[in-house]
Structures are given as structure tokens and as C-alpha cells.
Amino acid sequence: MVQKTFRVSAVIVWLSSLSLGVLTTVPKIAEKHPNGFEAITSALITTSFTLFVWYFNIYSLPKFTKEHSSTGFSYPLLFRSIAIGMVLMFLMVGAQKLAIPSLDFGPVVLMFEVRGIMINLIFYMLLHLLYQTHRNQQVILELERSKADNLGAQYELLKQQVNPHFLFNSLSTLKSMVELEDKNSVDFILKLSDFYRFTLENRKLDLISLSEEIEILDAYMYLLKARFEEGIELEYRIPEDVYRTWIPPFTLQLLVENCIKHNVVSLDKPLHIAIYEENGLLVVENPLQLKKNPEHSTEVGLDNINRRYFHLLNEKVQIENDQEYFRVKLPLIHENRNH
């Protein structure tokens, strides 16, 4: 992240300097016999000196403060500014003495030196406060940027988990079909190739429409049918308007995989999976007919879906198990958040 350069508005610098210069003329003007020329030179000295203090500290502060970052306060810069200011003020009052010979040099130079020290102290403290506020804002922005980058990286990792997980299961299915000398093995390979072409086109998206997700699931069901035939059934009970909502890619496919992984799928005991809308949630439901020896879990499916929804909506999916049916309820997303 590019750090913004510390700046103080020129309007503030000049307006504060001129205002302070004008204020110093008030005591002179209030005298019984005011000296207009002396008041003007006094205002010019104060204004010029204040401008010097502003710009000297503005250009020196970042360098000195960086060297004293543990405290954030640079005493060397302050002392150097005061020392240079005292010399400058002495020269400026000396010039005023040349212009106004009647000027009582001793008391006047003492007054201006004290004024210069006060201006240095006050404006350095003000500038230091502005600079520290600027640095704090930069740190906060950097932390927010890092947090966003970290969340983005985590989410990208979640998306990248999906394809390897699906490939692992698809190859396991293909292996079983080849071992059984299934005549549909070639068609399975062709459909698998088409399916991966589709996934490559959508891999960078955070969300796709539910209608597109259903297309993915239908393609996946074709691959499953090649293996299980009538041993698995999928039913949709989704209102037309819900098809226009959004969903993380491959969510439904992962949930169907999860059903197959843990439940018996056979011609004698078909697995019936239903997908429907209920109370603003998309529900994926299957009867519990658990395997005695379930497949080894890669612990990607449900956890991946849950974390992706939490990243996108700050919500978790709902999981219900009433000993007869297993349900996963997904929040409906009505806004495209790919950007």
C-alpha cells in the first residue's frame, strides 16, 4: 500500500501566520501614541517567523519522527527549530532596529525571542498532533487493507478446494465404472470433460445464479446416474423467483456429494434428494440411510460451504438432523457480490 505524503493545507499555514501577525499589532495600536510603521514591521516579523516555523517543521518532521518512532515525539527537531528560530528572530529584530533607530533594541529583542519560542512550542505541538493523526490513519488503513487481503486470500483458498475435491470423487466414480466394465465409461469421461470446461469458465466468480448452479448440478447428476442408475433421484421444488438468487459455485454439487458419501445408494434402497425453498432458505434434504462403513471424509464439503457463506454474508448455514432426515439450509442471496 502506497503511503500518502503528510501535507498541511497552504491555506491553514498562511491564514494562521497572517492572523498571528495581525494579533501582534493590537498592543501597538492600543498605545496612547501608536507607531504605525513599528506595528506593521512587528506584524511582518511575526508573520514571516510563523511561516518559517510551519514550513521548517513540515519538511523536517517526517524524517525526525521516523528516527524517534518509539515515542513519536522528536525533541531534537524541536530544540533545533527553537535554536534556529532564536537566531532568525535576532536578525529580523536587528533589521527592524535599522529601519527604526529609535527602537529600544534590548527589551524588544527579548520580547520577540520569547514570542518566537512560544510560537515554536505551540505550532510544533499542533503539527505533531496533526502528523500523529495522519500516521494513525495510515496504520488503520493498512490494517484494514491487510485484513481485506487476508479474507480475500482465505476465500480464494476455499474456492480452490472445490475442484480438487470434486475431481477426487469423480475419478473414484470412474475407477468403479471401469472396474465393473460399465459401457457408459466413455460417455462419463466426455461429460466429465464438458463439466470441467464449465468450471474453468466460472472458477473466478464468488457467486453464480441459482439457475446456473442447477445446470451444474444437472450435469453432475448425469455423471452420478451413469454409476447408480435409478439408485439416486433428485427433485426440485423451487419457485421461479428463487432461480434468480445467487449462490457460491458448486454448493449444491458438494451437498449432493455429501449425501452420497454418508448414505446407502442402491437400486434396492434409492436415495431421494430434494431441493426446495422454505422461509427464505434453500433447503437440501435427504433421508438418513447411513452406510455401515462410510467413505473416508476429506472434511471439505460442509465446512467449505459454511465458511464461504460466512465470508460472503457473515452468516452460517443451518444443519438439521432429526434422525429421519438430514437437512442443510442455505441463506438466499439476492445481490450479486462478485465485485
Side-chain angles (χ1 to χ4, degrees), residues 5 8 35 74 84 98 155 222 252 322:
T5 304
V8 178
N35 186 326
S74 175
I84 295 175
L98 293 176
Y155 190 69
Y222 176 89
L252 298 181
D322 61 8

Side-chain angles (χ1 to χ4, degrees), residues 269-288:
K269 197 171 185 178
L271 179 65
H272 182 86
I273 302 171
I275 301 177
Y276 56 91
E277 186 270 340
E278 180 182 78
N279 299 324
L281 300 171
L282 187 66
V283 184
V284 179
E285 176 186 270
N286 66 276
L288 285 175

Side-chain angles (χ1 to χ4, degrees), residues 44-46 48-49 87-97:
L44 286 173
I45 290 173
T46 303
S48 301
F49 183 81
V87 174
L88 179 62
M89 186 65 82
F90 182 85
L91 295 175
M92 294 172 78
V93 175
Q96 185 187 31
K97 172 65 175 176

Side-chain angles (χ1 to χ4, degrees), residues 241-295:
D241 60 318
V242 176
Y243 280 95
R244 293 189 291 272
T245 60
W246 301 83
I247 190 169
F250 310 106
T251 297
L252 298 181
Q253 178 254 319
L254 281 172
L255 290 176
V256 171
E257 277 191 26
N258 196 63
C259 295
I260 297 169
K261 185 190 305 178
H262 298 288
N263 294 278
V264 173
V265 182
S266 67
L267 295 175
D268 295 332
K269 197 171 185 178
L271 179 65
H272 182 86
I273 302 171
I275 301 177
Y276 56 91
E277 186 270 340
E278 180 182 78
N279 299 324
L281 300 171
L282 187 66
V283 184
V284 179
E285 176 186 270
N286 66 276
L288 285 175
Q289 42 196 60
L290 299 177
K291 295 178 179 179
K292 292 182 180 179
N293 299 304
E295 298 176 24

Side-chain angles (χ1 to χ4, degrees), residues 130-279:
L130 293 174
Y131 183 68
Q132 287 301 115
T133 301
H134 165 80
R135 290 185 65 189
N136 291 339
Q137 289 175 341
Q138 293 299 303
V139 170
I140 291 172
L141 288 173
E142 183 66 29
L143 288 174
E144 290 297 323
R145 177 66 177 270
S146 298
K147 182 179 178 181
D149 288 345
N150 185 48
L151 287 174
Q154 289 180 12
Y155 190 69
E156 285 301 314
L157 181 61
L158 288 175
K159 290 197 295 183
Q160 291 169 16
Q161 286 179 340
V162 175
N163 281 343
H165 178 62
F166 171 70
L167 179 61
F168 172 79
N169 284 277
S170 298
L171 292 178
S172 295
T173 301
L174 181 59
K175 174 177 176 291
S176 299
M177 294 177 68
V178 172
E179 289 175 346
L180 296 172
E181 298 182 353
D182 193 318
K183 63 182 180 180
N184 293 315
S185 297
V186 174
D187 289 338
F188 185 93
I189 294 171
L190 292 175
K191 287 293 183 180
L192 184 61
S193 174
D194 291 340
F195 185 82
Y196 262 92
R197 177 177 52 80
F198 183 85
T199 63
L200 289 173
E201 293 172 356
N202 294 276
R203 61 179 179 165
K204 293 184 179 181
L205 297 177
D206 296 335
L207 295 170
I208 60 174
S209 66
L210 181 59
S211 59
E212 290 178 295
E213 177 73 2
I214 294 297
E215 290 181 20
I216 296 176
L217 186 56
D218 286 342
Y220 179 58
M221 285 301 298
Y222 176 89
L223 301 179
L224 292 179
K225 284 284 189 179
R227 176 182 176 187
F228 297 110
E229 298 180 348
E230 301 305 316
I232 185 168
E233 296 293 337
L234 178 62
E235 177 188 5
Y236 298 114
R237 300 197 300 270
I238 305 174
E240 190 64 31
D241 60 318
V242 176
Y243 280 95
R244 293 189 291 272
T245 60
W246 301 83
I247 190 169
F250 310 106
T251 297
L252 298 181
Q253 178 254 319
L254 281 172
L255 290 176
V256 171
E257 277 191 26
N258 196 63
C259 295
I260 297 169
K261 185 190 305 178
H262 298 288
N263 294 278
V264 173
V265 182
S266 67
L267 295 175
D268 295 332
K269 197 171 185 178
L271 179 65
H272 182 86
I273 302 171
I275 301 177
Y276 56 91
E277 186 270 340
E278 180 182 78
N279 299 324

Side-chain angles (χ1 to χ4, degrees), residues 28-45:
K28 293 293 182 183
I29 295 173
E31 290 179 356
K32 189 174 182 180
H33 302 288
N35 186 326
F37 183 67
E38 184 179 346
I40 292 173
T41 56
S42 177
L44 286 173
I45 290 173

